[in-house]
Amino acid sequence: MAESSLMTIAESSGFTKTGRIEEVERLCGDFARHWPDAVRSFDYGRSAEGRLLRALLVTRAGAMTPAEIRERKVPVLMVQAGIHPGESDGKDAGFIALREMLSGSPCSAALEHTAILFVPAFNTDGHERFGRWNRPNQNGPEEMGWRTTAQNINLNRDYTKADTPEMRAMLRLISEWDPLVCADLHVTDGADFQPDISIQVEPLNQGDPSLRSAGRELRDGLVEHLNAQGCLALDFYPDLAVTDDPSSGFSVTVYSPRFSTGYFPQRNRFTVLVETHSWKPYAKRVHAMKNAVLDLSERVATRGNEWRKLAMRADDDASSLAGTELTVDYTSGWRETVKVGEAALNPDANAAARMIDFKGYAYTRMPSPISGTLVTKYDPKTPQIWHVPLRDQVNSALNVTVTKGGFIVPVAFAAEISSRLAAHGIQFDVVRERKNGIAARMFRATTVTFSSGPFEGRLRSTLHGAWVEQQSDIPEGSLYIPVKQPLARLIVALLEPQAPDSFASWGFFNACFEQKEQMEPYVAEIAAAGILSRNPAIAAALTKRTQDDAGFAGDPTARLQFVLRHHESWDARYNVYPVLRVETPLPEGAPPCVCG
């Protein structure tokens, strides 16, 4: 087979085009046939529209299956491209980089010490929604895929909730192959500036502290090497603090686990967010991305064994999280507000920032005759240094105390939750016989705020409240999820109700926060009056709350409910998060359970 047949459409077109899914299938098959000793092509699932989800395993380390990988302790680098198909740089760069390595380039020795798991087109359905203007802020190729799946879901918001068949297949792939490092390949838009590529690595600001030094080493080494190769690389994701205003500077975001960048630290693994810059020509972007893939491969080959030992130790230490304080949400000097379910960042006057010199372009900001707002116009022919703030001081926004035992999901919710836990690779048991009188804690919400509209197909909710002790019965068929396991951080992220990407935050339990049975107003007033006449303490509390809280005083429903909570008809389950916490494992002599 001639190696010219292994070239991408991007290369043969002079980087004016990118191929369709049939090219992905053809190249994967041709790679495996051309290098049968080093390449394995396989599918790992199907999309919502039934398309195959394709992966390549490339290695010369003598291990071609997950079992062999584990036995030989080969570090795995997963290169994930096409989660946003319009950002096709990673797909084309990945094929080019692997071809060079397999053909004997100076980087080829890396394959003897690592395995590369390449997913060229994660979102296959979106990839096939081809069009010229799918990425209007992007300089080439001529046509590209669409950002979301056929179900209109953004896969890079689906890592925790796992609503899509694509994500569930990906999570199973991750659990099976256990990549030490995941490189998620993207193209950033936004401002126009000189840098070609940005690198953001975790764990560095989040995840197991013992992994953060290695994360910093990985980031800094990659940025340094890219710059030495002629790229202009950044060590942070250059997202403007205020949209379309370069003078606002930048803020480092610690991504929550709905994103790949936030998900892998919960698994005690490394993740690298690679973003080329959309306004650079396609050929230049693919070249920069190829260099990033090659350099990552060499770094994992060189340092992977040491990093793997650190990751395994973090797995072993995960059980020590029980009973400790764990940060589940972060801030970098910006406070979050809910905007149609997505977190929008607003500037905080007290935010810590340092001034940096950033290589941008000259620009003007003038009122638009159409919208009336200020609009930025860049002049890429005139390089300019921007002296702007960078907010990179990361602080805790929300801490929780990790339960010493685990979580119990009641049988009514077990089917939906268990499928997602299994996809994540989380260990859980199914209770086979009812248990009565278990000492547990339940979370009662004092306030629940729903997003003003759907986000990624779900109505998100924000809960405020506290865990309280109670005796609980555990029905047969309920799930018990112990926290003493390697994925303890992920378990907390999914099941602590106030965590930003928990099942509760994603609206899985919204019906529990709806009042279903109410009295007619005239009946309610009579019942409330009776309560106050019999309970002077409640009457005094109502008077005080009305005097102290103007918002409460002006809310007839809140005032009435304040009293009716003491009536026999009040629903004791209203605003109760149905998942329980237990501070000790299920007691000795508990009925047999089966692992999920």
Side-chain angles (χ1 to χ4, degrees):
M1 181 185 298
E3 290 200 16
S4 60
S5 68
L6 303 174
M7 291 183 63
T8 63
I9 289 172
E11 294 168 283
S12 62
S13 69
F15 293 95
T16 60
K17 302 179 185 297
T18 191
R20 303 289 291 266
I21 285 297
E22 59 261 31
E23 182 199 30
V24 170
E25 289 293 321
R26 175 181 61 80
L27 286 175
C28 286
D30 287 351
F31 270 54
R33 285 185 288 273
H34 195 73
W35 294 287
D37 62 325
V39 178
R40 175 186 168 196
S41 174
F42 63 97
D43 65 86
Y44 62 93
R46 287 188 178 269
S47 70
E49 291 186 332
R51 292 185 175 87
L52 288 176
L53 303 176
R54 177 66 58 182
L56 278 184
L57 181 74
V58 181
T59 183
R60 288 198 169 103
M64 300 296 287
T65 68
E68 292 170 345
I69 292 284
R70 288 190 294 271
E71 181 181 355
R72 293 175 179 263
K73 300 179 180 179
V74 178
V76 177
L77 166 65
M78 185 169 82
V79 178
Q80 177 187 279
I83 192 170
H84 296 150
E87 305 166 26
S88 53
D89 303 25
K91 177 193 64 177
D92 290 326
F95 279 120
I96 296 169
L98 291 176
R99 189 187 66 225
E100 289 187 5
M101 295 177 74
L102 288 162
S103 299
S105 74
C107 298
S108 62
L111 294 179
E112 298 175 8
H113 305 284
T114 189
I116 301 174
L117 185 64
F118 178 43
V119 177
F122 179 12
N123 179 4
T124 55
D125 293 347
H127 190 285
E128 291 306 276
R129 187 177 169 182
F130 238 52
R132 282 186 174 271
W133 292 101
N134 287 347
R135 291 277 291 173
N137 298 329
Q138 188 167 290
N139 183 8
E142 292 176 354
E143 293 182 296
M144 69 285 291
W146 186 255
R147 184 176 182 83
T148 59
T149 69
Q151 296 171 318
N152 209 34
I153 300 296
N154 184 339
L155 288 176
N156 205 25
R157 308 294 186 271
D158 197 39
Y159 273 90
T160 47
K161 60 186 176 68
D163 278 339
T164 61
E166 293 91 346
M167 183 55 71
R168 293 196 194 192
M170 173 59 71
L171 294 176
R172 288 191 294 268
L173 184 73
I174 291 167
S175 295
E176 185 178 16
W177 290 90
D178 190 19
L180 174 68
V181 179
C182 173
D184 190 10
L185 311 184
H186 289 257
V187 184
T188 184
D189 42 26
D192 198 0
F193 43 66
Q194 297 178 51
D196 308 307
I197 191 169
S198 69
I199 305 294
Q200 185 157 333
V201 171
E202 295 290 359
L204 199 156
N205 296 302
Q206 62 175 308
D208 192 307
S210 69
L211 301 178
R212 296 181 187 181
S213 177
R216 182 172 290 103
E217 174 195 341
L218 173 58
R219 181 199 66 182
D220 293 349
L222 181 56
V223 168
E224 181 181 0
H225 195 261
L226 287 169
N227 283 325
Q229 292 176 306
C231 297
L232 188 54
L234 295 171
D235 63 1
F236 64 92
Y237 176 67
D239 194 19
L240 288 178
V242 176
T243 301
D244 203 39
D245 184 0
S247 68
S248 67
F250 307 95
S251 179
V252 170
T253 299
V254 181
Y255 290 95
S256 63
R258 79 183 69 165
F259 304 93
S260 68
T261 316
Y263 178 74
F264 282 89
Q266 314 311 315
R267 303 184 68 96
N268 307 316
R269 301 296 182 265
F270 298 93
T271 183
V272 184
L273 175 64
V274 186
E275 299 259 4
T276 53
H277 188 238
S278 62
W279 287 116
K280 300 298 183 289
Y282 192 49
K284 187 172 187 177
R285 298 201 323 259
V286 172
H287 179 72
M289 188 70 82
K290 182 199 74 170
N291 287 348
V293 172
L294 291 174
D295 191 63
L296 274 168
S297 303
E298 289 190 300
R299 290 185 185 280
V300 174
T302 303
R303 303 286 284 153
N305 286 333
E306 181 180 340
W307 294 345
R308 185 181 179 279
K309 290 177 183 177
L310 291 173
M312 296 301 104
R313 192 177 307 148
D315 287 350
D316 292 338
D317 291 344
S319 60
S320 65
L321 291 173
T324 66
E325 289 289 309
L326 183 66
T327 300
V328 296
D329 199 11
Y330 298 83
T331 178
S332 55
W334 297 74
R335 59 178 182 267
E336 291 190 348
T337 59
V338 176
K339 180 181 180 182
V340 196
E342 179 74 283
L345 297 174
N346 292 329
D348 182 347
N350 299 317
R354 60 186 177 92
M355 301 302 291
I356 62 170
D357 290 330
F358 186 87
K359 293 182 177 181
Y361 295 119
Y363 66 91
T364 58
R365 283 175 57 76
M366 302 291 290
S368 164
I370 302 171
S371 65
T373 191
L374 288 176
V375 175
T376 304
K377 182 178 181 180
Y378 296 95
D379 178 9
K381 294 181 180 179
T382 309
Q384 185 182 82
I385 299 298
W386 301 345
H387 192 59
V388 293
L390 172 64
R391 296 164 181 83
D392 59 355
Q393 180 176 316
V394 173
N395 300 302
S396 168
L398 176 64
N399 290 339
V400 299
T401 301
V402 180
T403 177
K404 296 178 181 178
F407 294 91
I408 296 174
V409 177
V411 62
F413 299 92
E416 184 170 29
I417 299 302
S418 64
S419 64
R420 288 166 168 80
L421 296 176
H424 286 291
I426 292 171
Q427 301 170 18
F428 61 92
D429 296 330
V430 179
V431 177
R432 292 305 190 193
E433 185 178 311
R434 183 182 181 88
K435 292 295 294 182
N436 295 324
I438 296 295
R441 292 183 179 179
M442 70 173 186
F443 186 91
R444 184 178 290 278
T446 52
T447 61
V448 180
T449 304
F450 297 107
S451 57
S452 59
F455 173 63
E456 296 301 323
R458 288 187 170 271
L459 194 69
R460 286 177 55 82
S461 59
T462 302
L463 279 61
H464 295 281
W467 291 98
V468 295
E469 295 184 3
Q470 70 163 26
Q471 295 290 311
S472 298
D473 298 335
I474 304 175
E476 175 186 346
S478 299
L479 310 179
Y480 172 60
I481 306 101
V483 294
K484 290 189 176 182
Q485 56 178 294
L487 297 181
R489 293 177 186 275
L490 181 57
I491 291 168
V492 172
L494 294 174
L495 293 172
E496 274 292 338
Q498 294 179 289
D501 284 326
S502 68
F503 292 135
S505 292
W506 276 111
F508 280 69
F509 305 104
N510 278 356
C512 298
F513 310 116
E514 300 174 32
Q515 194 169 5
K516 300 296 186 179
E517 191 68 59
Q518 296 175 314
M519 298 181 187
E520 295 292 342
Y522 72 93
V523 178
E525 291 286 352
I526 294 171
I531 292 170
L532 295 179
S533 67
R534 296 189 299 270
N535 297 274
I538 298 174
L542 175 64
T543 299
K544 186 176 187 307
R545 177 77 182 274
T546 304
Q547 292 171 345
D548 295 346
D549 186 341
F552 175 81
D555 187 338
T557 300
R559 291 171 60 167
L560 198 55
Q561 287 190 351
F562 182 90
V563 179
L564 291 178
R565 288 178 185 274
H566 302 277
H567 193 269
E568 294 87 346
S569 66
W570 186 258
D571 181 7
R573 296 186 184 183
Y574 174 54
N575 272 2
V576 171
Y577 173 52
V579 176
L580 299 173
R581 280 177 43 162
V582 289
E583 295 306 306
T584 59
L586 290 182
E588 293 294 329
C593 300
V594 294
C595 180

